[in-house]
Amino acid sequence: MTTPFSCTYTPQISELLWQLNCTLAISTYQAGKVILVSAAGPESLVQLPRNFEKAMGMAVEGSRLAIATKEEVIVLANAPALAGSYPPQPHTYDALFVPRATYYCGEIDLHDLAWGSKGLWAVNTRFSCLTLINEHFSFEPVWQPAFISDLTPDDRCHLNGLAMLYNEPDIVTALGRSDEPKGWRENVLEGGIVMHVPTGEILATQLPMPHSPRWYDGKLYMLFSATGELACLDTSSGKYDSIARLPGFARGMARYQDYLFIGLSKIRENASTFRNLPVASQELFSGVAIVQLSTGKTIGFIRYENSVEELYDIQVIPGFRRPGLLNHIRPEHRLALVTPTDAFWKGDE
């Protein structure tokens, strides 16, 4: 019998993460987890799953990690001084992310998150808008597509992806140009659009379920989930080049140095909206694909054998080979006391 969250992986993946001195954070809303994947050495990987209900978008900036969950956004911060003395597992971690704030936003189906100059941005899919997450409201709506006529909780265009540029929202993706409740479902294969936030202009149309737009080296990359593609979009023409085809519903992407880490999901068997997508005709798995950005070559995979069927987001935690992660559920986080100059475990003498 396999253990929960068992995975297989291409041999060079552990060596790559070891050399890069980084860890992957994976969110899976289906399993209700954020999973840290680290190299235990050049030849093996180790995982740390933690419970976060319906974990979706994540954002990493410096020592902060934000996680969108079913009804809350949770912000954690690294307390490195506590890592080595973590009571259940001392001398294990080289970083320790502990909860610092919880924003009670309600069930608004947040997707991508990003830190910016004005704070924490979120794609509010249920209300078809970009929002700021703060202590004043459930959410602060800032931008909507021009074709959305009302701020109502009915997921009109399935706004999902956000690309930042110079610390400001720049590009968003949606699955349809619809102003009707769940109208995007009528054409999931070719209804996808890309929009420029500052001008409101629609830059590209007829895309196969675009997700995870990202600016890398002056080029706009994104994932087409319906076809399992990594693509590079020319924003002036609306045309795109397919960089790689991947064996999964592609969604969630992060870059570190010359490598892209891309999330792959299976297709839900009971989801009539998705089961006829082109990617569904392939043998799919859930996990992570690693693509070299400079060449477009896929160099390896992490493949889940059980427990994980659908991923949403991937982030890279740089500079740490084995970070720890405490959620707001485990009692240990209440023992962590951190000041600007010191850190203690409650009860330390």
Side-chain angles (χ1 to χ4, degrees), residues 55-195:
M56 292 284 286
M58 300 182 292
V60 173
E61 181 191 62
S63 64
R64 296 185 294 178
L65 167 65
I67 302 170
T69 68
K70 183 179 180 181
E71 298 173 337
E72 304 159 344
V73 174
I74 299 162
V75 178
L76 306 96
N78 181 22
L82 293 178
S85 58
Y86 175 51
Q89 292 177 273
H91 313 296
T92 301
Y93 302 121
D94 57 359
L96 186 65
F97 286 86
V98 297
R100 292 271 65 96
T102 299
Y103 295 97
Y104 298 97
C105 54
E107 196 170 350
I108 55 177
D109 198 19
L110 297 180
H111 278 56
D112 280 10
L113 296 183
W115 294 102
S117 58
K118 295 179 182 178
L120 183 59
W121 289 92
V123 178
N124 186 334
T125 303
R126 182 152 292 173
F127 281 83
S128 308
C129 65
L130 287 183
T131 71
L132 283 167
I133 302 298
N134 55 45
E135 66 274 20
H136 301 296
F137 310 99
S138 296
F139 62 91
E140 182 181 339
V142 179
W143 180 92
Q144 279 186 294
F147 56 81
I148 298 294
S149 59
D150 296 298
L151 187 71
T152 51
D154 40 30
D155 186 11
R156 299 186 177 199
C157 63
H158 206 72
L159 199 69
N160 58 56
L162 170 62
M164 303 289 284
L165 188 64
Y166 307 120
N167 286 321
E168 299 293 340
D170 188 67
I171 297 290
V172 292
T173 52
L175 298 193
R177 190 184 183 281
S178 167
D179 194 31
E180 299 297 326
K182 293 184 170 54
W184 60 273
R185 291 181 179 270
E186 294 181 5
N187 186 17
V188 294
L189 180 55
E190 297 179 339
I193 60 175
V194 172
M195 290 170 281

Side-chain angles (χ1 to χ4, degrees), residues 287-340:
V288 181
I290 296 87
V291 175
Q292 189 170 30
L293 183 59
S294 59
T295 65
K297 293 182 178 179
T298 303
I299 64 169
F301 299 96
I302 300 171
R303 176 174 181 155
Y304 280 97
E305 303 298 329
N306 59 28
S307 303
V308 178
E309 301 288 326
E310 298 181 51
L311 279 63
Y312 181 75
D313 203 6
I314 293 182
Q315 294 291 325
V316 174
I317 300 175
F320 299 106
R321 287 203 171 108
R322 187 76 187 278
L325 176 68
L326 297 182
N327 60 25
H328 57 312
I329 303 168
R330 296 176 64 92
E332 289 93 338
H333 90 86
R334 298 182 179 87
L335 306 178
L337 306 176
V338 183
T339 75

Side-chain angles (χ1 to χ4, degrees), residues 1-7 47 49 304 306-308:
M1 179 181 294
T2 57
T3 59
F5 303 100
S6 293
C7 68
Q47 298 185 89
Y304 280 97
N306 59 28
S307 303
V308 178

Side-chain angles (χ1 to χ4, degrees), residues 180-348:
E180 299 297 326
K182 293 184 170 54
W184 60 273
R185 291 181 179 270
E186 294 181 5
N187 186 17
V188 294
L189 180 55
E190 297 179 339
I193 60 175
V194 172
M195 290 170 281
H196 185 227
V197 174
T199 64
E201 181 183 359
I202 297 177
L203 302 177
T205 61
Q206 298 181 307
L207 302 176
M209 300 187 76
H211 281 87
S212 311
R214 307 285 187 262
W215 282 109
Y216 298 137
D217 299 334
K219 297 180 179 179
L220 182 63
Y221 293 85
M222 64 188 61
L223 301 173
F224 294 147
S225 304
T227 53
E229 289 178 274
L230 166 65
C232 183
L233 182 77
D234 183 340
T235 56
S236 60
S237 68
K239 307 293 184 182
Y240 65 87
D241 294 322
S242 180
I243 307 300
R245 287 187 176 268
L246 304 166
F249 187 91
R251 180 180 51 195
M253 178 165 60
R255 176 192 182 181
Y256 193 60
Q257 296 186 18
D258 192 32
Y259 300 95
L260 300 182
F261 299 91
I262 298 170
L264 303 177
S265 298
K266 295 181 179 179
I267 301 293
R268 276 169 268 172
E269 294 181 1
N270 62 347
S272 58
T273 304
F274 301 141
R275 62 170 166 247
N276 294 323
L277 299 178
V279 72
S281 63
Q282 305 177 39
E283 183 178 352
L284 307 181
F285 64 86
S286 59
V288 181
I290 296 87
V291 175
Q292 189 170 30
L293 183 59
S294 59
T295 65
K297 293 182 178 179
T298 303
I299 64 169
F301 299 96
I302 300 171
R303 176 174 181 155
Y304 280 97
E305 303 298 329
N306 59 28
S307 303
V308 178
E309 301 288 326
E310 298 181 51
L311 279 63
Y312 181 75
D313 203 6
I314 293 182
Q315 294 291 325
V316 174
I317 300 175
F320 299 106
R321 287 203 171 108
R322 187 76 187 278
L325 176 68
L326 297 182
N327 60 25
H328 57 312
I329 303 168
R330 296 176 64 92
E332 289 93 338
H333 90 86
R334 298 182 179 87
L335 306 178
L337 306 176
V338 183
T339 75
T341 57
D342 295 292
F344 311 89
W345 291 106
K346 183 180 178 181
D348 286 352

